[in-house]
Amino acid sequence: AQSVTQLGSHVSVSEGALVLLRCNYSSSVPPYLFWYVQYPNQGLQLLLKYTTGATLVKGINGFEAEFKKSETSFHLTKPSAHMSDAAEYFCAVSESNAGNMLTFGGGTRLMVKP
Amino acid sequence: DADVTQTPRNRITKTGKRIMLECSQTKGHDRMYWYRQDPGLGLQLIYYSFDVKDINKGEISDGYSVSRQAQAKFSLSLESAIPNQTALYFCATSDPNRNYGYTFGSGTRLTVV
């Protein structure tokens, strides 16, 4: 069965600092991995995804994530945080043998200090 | 128009009342989902539907029911609302043939008093 763990329910960074949001997964088959972002009072929108191919994937708003099979990780990074990055971030995994249904992590709320 | 539309956006209802949350999509996706979001608990799957005739319970279906009226419409009902059903509810869709993830609606904020 697939599962996702996001380390840190809350992360606080200063504006301009590196953003690192951690995601580890378990999967019995090669996974598909996703990051979603939820801005206040909005629904979830896709930030980036890994399916196959290049393990470093780039998403919207300067975010990127690297799939590391040996570490079963898919951490989300951004070199320089902006105030507008304050949101909740969800990591998710799906497996082709699970009908491509997503399993979500518990979410990480990112706070950006001026 | 949004790909996935949820109505109402906000609703306050009284304990014991029946309430229906509606979701419609223009994506042409067969699969639709209802999730509940509570602070600190992430997303919990309530029900999901793979097509009009295929409806399945999720992890927290007690106290909820659903209706898939058409490929594009998937409604969530609370037969007798209780205060601990106060939450943010999301509808989502997906295409089973393409692993592009889910498309979410903007959510319905439900308060049961």
Side-chain angles (χ1 to χ4, degrees):
Chain A
Q2 57 198 37
S3 67
V4 179
T5 301
Q6 291 183 239
L7 294 177
S9 58
H10 292 79
V11 170
S12 181
V13 301
S14 297
E15 192 172 21
L18 171 71
V19 176
L20 171 60
L21 304 183
R22 299 178 185 273
C23 173
N24 288 89
Y25 68 91
S26 67
S27 175
S28 58
V29 299
Y32 298 132
L33 297 159
F34 304 82
W35 275 100
Y36 285 84
V37 59
Q38 182 184 23
Y39 297 107
N41 300 314
Q42 295 186 27
L44 280 73
Q45 62 183 89
L46 184 65
L47 197 55
L48 52 80
K49 65 180 184 288
Y50 167 79
T51 53
T52 58
T55 56
L56 181 64
V57 293
K58 296 184 184 298
I60 61 173
N61 301 334
F63 284 93
E64 61 183 35
E66 186 171 11
F67 169 56
K68 292 187 176 181
K69 182 178 178 180
S70 61
E71 299 177 8
T72 61
S73 69
F74 191 56
H75 301 331
L76 182 70
T77 61
K78 182 174 180 177
S80 177
H82 191 273
M83 296 296 291
S84 61
D85 294 327
E88 187 146 21
Y89 293 80
F90 292 92
C91 183
V93 63
S94 73
E95 295 178 346
S96 58
N97 65 353
N100 292 330
M101 286 189 65
L102 292 183
T103 297
F104 288 90
T108 297
R109 183 167 296 279
L110 176 66
M111 295 166 283
V112 182
K113 299 176 291 186
Chain B
D1 288 343
D3 292 328
V4 181
T5 302
Q6 291 185 236
T7 56
R9 288 297 310 275
N10 293 280
R11 179 73 182 266
I12 300 174
T13 192
K14 293 183 178 180
T15 298
K17 292 291 188 182
R18 183 178 187 275
I19 182 169
M20 178 182 289
L21 309 183
E22 300 190 355
C23 176
S24 62
Q25 52 120 343
T26 58
K27 299 285 287 184
H29 290 166
D30 286 329
R31 295 185 174 183
M32 298 186 74
Y33 311 83
W34 275 105
Y35 283 90
R36 168 178 172 158
Q37 184 180 26
D38 297 276
L41 294 181
L43 295 168
Q44 296 174 279
L45 182 62
I46 307 172
Y47 270 95
Y48 60 101
S49 170
F50 283 176
D51 64 39
V52 175
K53 296 182 179 180
D54 184 0
I55 294 177
N56 306 277
K57 293 183 177 180
E59 19 177 349
I60 57 162
S61 59
D62 287 348
Y64 301 94
S65 63
V66 291
S67 172
R68 184 82 184 265
Q69 300 95 324
Q71 185 204 41
K73 296 183 181 296
F74 192 36
S75 300
L76 176 72
S77 293
L78 287 68
E79 297 300 326
S80 180
I82 57 177
N84 77 359
Q85 291 178 312
T86 293
L88 189 55
Y89 291 86
F90 287 105
C91 175
T93 72
S94 71
D95 180 344
N97 298 314
R98 298 174 184 272
N99 208 335
Y100 293 164
Y102 294 176
T103 301
F104 284 84
S106 297
T108 294
R109 185 169 297 280
L110 177 65
T111 303
V112 183
V113 298

